[in-house]
């Protein structure tokens, strides 16, 4: 997200707090349905040739090249033939459980199973918002996953994930998407129940590392980060603070030694389950930005990472590069004969880190913090140098789009390509890949964990995407009309699910129905600050539990017909295509949840939403700085920065 200097100042302070000093929650009060036995899950392939450092390899017989964005890639097109057919049976079971009265979902799917394009095409989008977004989004995914205990019972939504074609994440949402897929499409429960020292153990901040509290352990952690980034630099590639941030994230998110420095994002494409079309497709969003450039939603080139490619459908690029061969010296869309192929650039953690720039800004603000003067003096010059260089980006040099599409490509003349947090243009929900006409998505379940007002969402991300869709850069995309942020708050649209785009004939072009699912307090005040970077297991699980309640409307207790309404949203565009009458229960649902165009743009009162269900009992604990942790962290950071500057 694009946030103020005060935000980054707060983040730097928060990063020095340990989870044991954070508020504690009685674990006995967390829903037993969220507890499953843990098991060790496999992970994606460590197929980089030289760990974190990209390295030259023999080129395939058909040399890689840059393609136009006029269509989907051949790989995605072929995969879709498998995936769309593989969603039929899970969708039949899912819709059968949604209790859509007077409608035979199984018979409907059977009648159309030989024409998968007539059937619903589902996308799920997980917003940014740091660890809050990861955890709230995890609750939503747990609710949508039919592997979660009790998720297929009455009032539940299990099976929506298995029915989906696409799962998109941005910033904190990308950490969730990446952690699921890099760990071989594992479940939220197994990630929660992973053993100590593995993944999703957020007691210690990513800024402190996974080891013990001693100074030596902190230095060792930062030393490992520096070694990996040094190796990339020694191989001849540009590095930035994002490389360190990405390596640190990997320790928390990837089930592998040292966060899997050799695990690549493109290895997901060769995962057996994914290649067979048995899981949705992961999509991660980032924004293009030259250092120091100001981003606004109307002019940003929005990049997406698929398991096969990096690129954009935007007219300011309109091209895609083969992800597996990033780091190769492409020119004018081809790899010249005198250039070798490079692999290993698409490190999985680096992809997730690219979509989130929190650590970059944290480092650049550290000199403003109330830390011992001896450490501040030691790193002041280093931080000043980094700030002056605007080195707060993810560096994708050599630019794969150099001299490609020179008439419109804004980066065609530069050998350097720099990307940043996907929410810097205010589009904090990754809707952009899912509204591309060529993907033909029917319905998007948009989970919004943004911190717009009192750390709750107020529809800003939806407004930004709509505004962009009616600008010159829209390039054929269409998005349902949405009201302004004040209306979102005044009408309570940010406290409950709302459907946008119910009337498809009243759109500027083919657009999906968007089911907006804003974070709200059901059983826990999950509006934790984006600056909070450590969580004990009880608080972590409480936020996940709250996210589960957000999307299920407290297990259907807020509205017994909510599961049917979700099923109706899934079916809506498909029923139109097949000229099938809308069931009466769906008509009631659309009347209840569709935005009717009403607006109230007056300035809202301060926003403090009440609990919507029985809150989890909380035992509050004091929050204080631990000098030992502070000292070890700062010493480790100093070591990192000194080594970084010496590269």
């Amino acid at each position: 997200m694009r946030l103020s200097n005060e935000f980054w100042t707060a983040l730097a302070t928060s990063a020095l707090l340990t989870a044991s000093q954070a508020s504690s929650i009685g674990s006995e009060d967390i829903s037993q349905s969220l507890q499953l036995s843990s098991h060790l899950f496999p992970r994606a392939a460590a197929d980089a040739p030289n760990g974190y450092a990209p390295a030259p390899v023999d080129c395939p017989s058909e040399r890689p090249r840059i393609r136009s964005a006029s269509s989907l890639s051949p790989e995605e097109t072929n995969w879709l033939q498998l995936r769309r057919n593989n969603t039929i049976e899970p969708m039949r079971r899912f819709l059968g459980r949604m209790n859509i009265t007077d409608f035979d979902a199984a018979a409907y799917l059977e009648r159309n199973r030989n024409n998968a394009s007539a059937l619903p095409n589902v996308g799920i989008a997980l917003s940014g918002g740091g660890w809050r977004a990861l955890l709230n989004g995890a609750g939503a995914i747990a609710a949508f996953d039919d592997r979660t205990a009790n998720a297929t019972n009455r009032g539940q939504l299990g099976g929506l994930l298995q029915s989906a074609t696409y799962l998109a994440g941005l910033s904190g949402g990308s950490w969730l998407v990446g952690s699921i897929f890099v760990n071989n499409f594992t479940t939220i429960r197994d990630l929660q129940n992973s053993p100590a020292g593995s993944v999703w153990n957020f007691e210690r901040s990513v800024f402190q590392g996974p080891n013990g509290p001693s100074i030596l352990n902190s230095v060792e952690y930062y030393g490992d980060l520096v070694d990996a980034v040094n190796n990339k630099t020694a191989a001849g590639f540009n590095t930035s603070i994002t490389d360190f941030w990405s390596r640190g994230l990997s320790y928390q998110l990837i089930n592998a030694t040292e966060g899997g420095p050799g695990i690549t994002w493109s290895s997901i494409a060769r995962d057996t389950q994914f290649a067979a079309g048995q899981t949705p497709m992961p999509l991660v969003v980032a924004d293009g930005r030259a250092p120091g450039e100001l981003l606004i939603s109307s002019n940003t080139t929005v990049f997406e990472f698929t398991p096969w490619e990096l690129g954009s459908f935007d007219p300011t690029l309109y091209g895609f590069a083969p992800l597996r061969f990033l780091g190769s010296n492409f020119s004018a869309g081809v790899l010249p004969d005198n250039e070798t192929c490079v692999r290993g650039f698409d490190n999985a953690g680096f992809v997730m880190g690219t979509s989130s720039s929190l650590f970059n800004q944290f480092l650049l603000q550290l000199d403003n913090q109330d830390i011992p003067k001896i450490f501040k003096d030691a790193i002041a010059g280093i931080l000043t140098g980094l700030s002056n260089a605007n080195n707060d980006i993810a560096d994708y040099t050599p630019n794969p789009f150099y001299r490609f599409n020179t008439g419109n490509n804004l980066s065609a003349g530069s050998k350097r390509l720099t990307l940043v947090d996907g929410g810097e243009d205010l589009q904090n929900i990754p809707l952009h890949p899912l509204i591309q006409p060529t993907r033909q998505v029917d319905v998007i379940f948009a989970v919004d964990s943004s911190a717009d007002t009192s750390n709750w969402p107020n529809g800003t991300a939806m407004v930004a995407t709509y505004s962009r869709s009616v600008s010159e850069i829209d390039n054929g995309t269409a998005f349902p009309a949405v009201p302004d942020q004040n209306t979102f708050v005044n009408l309570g649209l940010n406290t409950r699910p709302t459907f946008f785009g119910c009337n498809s004939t009243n759109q500027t072009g083919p657009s999906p129905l968007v089911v907006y699912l804003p974070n709200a307090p059901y059983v826990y005040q999950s509006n934790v600050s984006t600056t909070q970077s450590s969580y004990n297991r009880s608080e972590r699980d409480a936020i996940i539990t709250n996210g589960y309640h957000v999307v299920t409307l407290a297990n259907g207790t807020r509205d017994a017909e909510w599961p049917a309404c979700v099923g109706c949203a899934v079916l809506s565009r498909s029923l139109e295509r097949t000229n099938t009458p809308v069931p009466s229960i769906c008509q009631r649902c659309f009347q209840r949840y569709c935005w009717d165009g009403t607006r109230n743009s007056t300035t809202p009162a301060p926003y403090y939403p009440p609990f919507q269900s029985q809150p989890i009992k909380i035992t509050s604990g004091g929050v204080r700085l631990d000098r030992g942790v502070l000292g070890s962290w700062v010493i480790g950071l100093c070591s990192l920065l000194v080594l970084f500057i010496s590269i």
Side-chain angles (χ1 to χ4, degrees):
M1 292 181 296
R2 189 175 184 83
L3 296 167
S4 65
N5 286 341
E6 288 76 13
F7 167 87
W8 302 115
T9 297
L11 174 60
T13 301
S14 170
L16 300 175
L17 303 178
T18 67
S20 62
Q21 298 158 341
S23 297
S24 61
I25 305 166
S27 60
E28 68 277 9
D29 297 310
I30 296 178
S31 171
Q32 292 301 310
S33 68
L34 299 184
Q35 305 304 314
L36 289 182
S37 61
S38 64
H39 72 269
L40 293 176
F41 36 83
R43 57 178 179 269
D47 64 350
N50 189 32
Y52 188 70
V57 296
D58 292 335
C59 289
S61 56
E62 184 176 345
R63 293 176 69 81
R65 58 188 304 122
I66 312 302
R67 71 170 185 88
S68 166
S70 58
S71 64
L72 296 176
S73 69
E75 294 85 357
E76 184 172 347
T77 300
N78 293 334
W79 177 87
L80 280 170
Q81 294 177 6
L82 298 172
R83 181 59 187 164
R84 293 303 306 280
N85 284 307
N86 284 347
T87 61
I88 295 174
E89 183 56 27
M91 192 175 294
R92 183 191 66 77
R93 296 193 300 268
F94 167 73
L95 292 174
R97 292 190 296 268
M98 295 301 101
N99 196 28
I100 306 174
T101 53
D102 302 322
F103 181 77
D104 190 337
Y108 176 77
L109 294 177
E110 186 61 33
R111 286 196 305 271
N112 294 281
R113 70 177 302 122
N114 293 326
N115 181 16
S117 62
L119 298 178
N121 190 9
V122 179
I124 300 171
L126 305 171
S127 83
W131 285 270
R132 179 189 61 253
L134 181 152
L135 297 174
N136 183 61
I141 293 301
F144 297 158
D145 191 345
D146 64 14
R147 299 171 296 177
T148 301
N150 303 319
T152 57
N153 291 353
R154 183 178 179 84
Q156 305 298 316
L157 303 179
L160 181 61
L161 178 63
Q162 282 69 25
S163 303
T165 305
Y166 297 103
L167 178 60
L170 180 157
S171 196
S174 78
W175 308 345
L176 174 58
V177 171
S179 195
I180 291 170
F181 277 90
V182 172
N183 295 307
N184 283 20
F185 201 63
T186 192
T187 67
I188 299 302
R189 300 308 167 231
D190 285 328
L191 289 167
Q192 284 180 269
N193 293 325
S194 60
S198 182
V199 293
W200 281 43
N201 290 292
F202 301 132
E203 293 93 340
R204 287 180 60 81
S205 162
V206 67
F207 307 110
Q208 296 170 312
N211 300 314
S214 75
I215 291 176
L216 290 178
N217 282 335
S218 295
V219 172
E220 180 182 4
Y221 167 63
Y222 279 104
D224 290 341
L225 304 188
V226 169
D227 286 345
V229 178
N230 273 348
N231 290 339
K232 181 176 179 179
T233 305
F237 294 90
N238 290 0
T239 54
S240 71
I241 305 178
T242 301
D243 289 278
F244 295 106
W245 165 233
S246 302
R247 290 276 60 241
L249 269 182
S250 298
Y251 279 77
Q252 289 196 338
L253 302 177
I254 298 176
N255 179 37
T257 302
E258 295 182 2
I263 293 177
T264 62
W265 192 262
S266 59
S267 71
I268 295 172
R270 289 175 295 285
D271 172 75
T272 303
Q273 270 190 300
F274 176 78
Q278 294 174 0
T279 76
M281 177 189 297
L283 293 162
V284 166
V285 171
D287 289 339
R289 180 174 71 83
E293 180 184 11
L294 177 66
L295 285 182
I296 56 175
S297 62
S298 62
N299 72 354
T300 303
T301 300
V302 179
F303 284 77
E304 65 178 47
F305 294 84
T306 78
W308 303 285
E309 295 183 310
L310 165 67
S312 178
F313 288 100
D314 289 348
T316 46
L317 177 58
Y318 207 61
F320 285 88
L323 189 65
R324 186 172 170 83
F325 294 105
L326 287 185
S328 305
N329 268 303
F330 292 95
S331 180
V334 299
L335 187 63
D337 291 340
N338 63 338
E339 293 286 352
T340 185
C341 286
V342 171
R343 279 189 36 222
F345 197 107
D346 63 313
N347 173 269
F350 189 58
V351 171
M352 292 184 275
T354 297
S355 186
S356 56
S357 58
L358 299 180
F359 187 58
N360 306 356
Q361 297 293 338
F362 170 84
L363 286 181
L364 296 177
Q365 292 293 324
L366 187 66
D367 56 334
N368 295 329
Q369 303 318 304
D370 184 19
I371 62 175
K373 186 176 185 300
I374 185 173
F375 298 119
K376 185 182 295 186
D377 291 344
I379 63 177
I382 298 172
L383 290 172
T384 300
L386 290 174
S387 181
N388 289 343
N390 290 312
N391 201 1
D392 59 342
I393 42 74
D395 200 320
Y396 279 74
T397 304
N399 177 12
F401 305 104
Y402 176 61
R403 297 179 58 202
F404 173 79
N405 188 17
T406 55
N408 298 301
N409 176 10
L410 298 180
S411 66
S414 175
K415 292 188 176 182
R416 191 183 189 205
L417 176 68
T418 55
L419 305 180
V420 295
D421 189 312
E424 283 204 20
D425 60 355
L426 301 183
Q427 295 186 93
N428 200 41
I429 307 174
L431 297 162
H432 188 268
L434 303 179
I435 62 174
Q436 298 304 318
T438 189
R439 288 203 167 108
Q440 300 178 341
V441 174
D442 291 322
V443 58
I444 303 171
F445 290 86
V447 179
D448 192 0
S449 307
S450 302
D452 303 319
T453 176
S454 301
N455 288 332
W456 301 107
N458 70 358
T460 292
M462 298 283 285
V463 173
T465 297
Y466 172 69
S467 298
R468 194 177 199 273
S469 73
V470 294
S471 69
E472 293 182 357
I473 203 172
D474 73 294
N475 205 32
T477 60
F479 191 76
V482 300
D484 59 276
Q485 292 95 322
N486 286 352
T487 296
F488 265 90
V489 176
N490 289 328
L491 300 186
L493 305 182
N494 66 330
T495 64
R496 62 178 183 269
T498 304
F499 297 176
F500 294 98
C502 294
N503 184 357
S504 66
T505 63
N506 191 28
Q507 309 298 322
T508 58
S511 66
L513 175 69
V514 178
V515 178
Y516 181 62
L517 299 167
N519 184 26
Y522 277 75
V523 297
Y524 186 67
Q525 291 284 353
S526 56
N527 62 327
V528 293
S529 173
T530 311
T531 68
Q532 185 172 332
S533 57
S534 61
Y535 299 81
N536 60 41
R537 289 193 171 223
S538 296
E539 185 171 21
R540 179 200 68 179
D541 292 347
I543 299 173
I544 293 173
T545 301
N546 190 79
Y548 192 106
H549 282 274
V550 165
V551 300
T552 62
L553 288 188
N555 299 315
T557 59
R558 299 280 295 178
D559 180 358
E561 289 186 336
W562 172 241
C565 294
V566 170
C568 292
V570 169
L571 285 165
S572 179
R573 295 292 194 260
S574 177
L575 295 177
E576 291 180 5
R577 282 197 298 274
T578 57
N579 296 313
T580 302
V582 178
S584 58
I585 191 173
C586 292
Q587 295 177 30
R588 293 200 303 272
C589 287
F590 295 148
Q591 185 175 19
R592 190 179 313 157
Y593 288 105
C594 291
W595 178 55
D596 61 5
T598 301
R599 296 175 185 268
N600 178 355
S601 301
T602 60
T603 301
Y607 183 65
Y608 302 107
F611 281 107
Q612 300 191 34
S613 189
Q614 182 65 36
I616 292 173
K617 295 179 182 179
I618 299 173
T619 303
S620 297
V623 179
R624 61 185 178 83
L625 286 175
D626 183 297
R627 292 186 179 180
V629 171
L630 174 62
S632 65
W633 189 87
V634 173
I635 289 174
L637 177 60
C638 290
S639 301
L640 183 154
L641 290 171
V642 170
L643 287 170
F644 175 56
I645 295 303
S646 67
I647 293 172

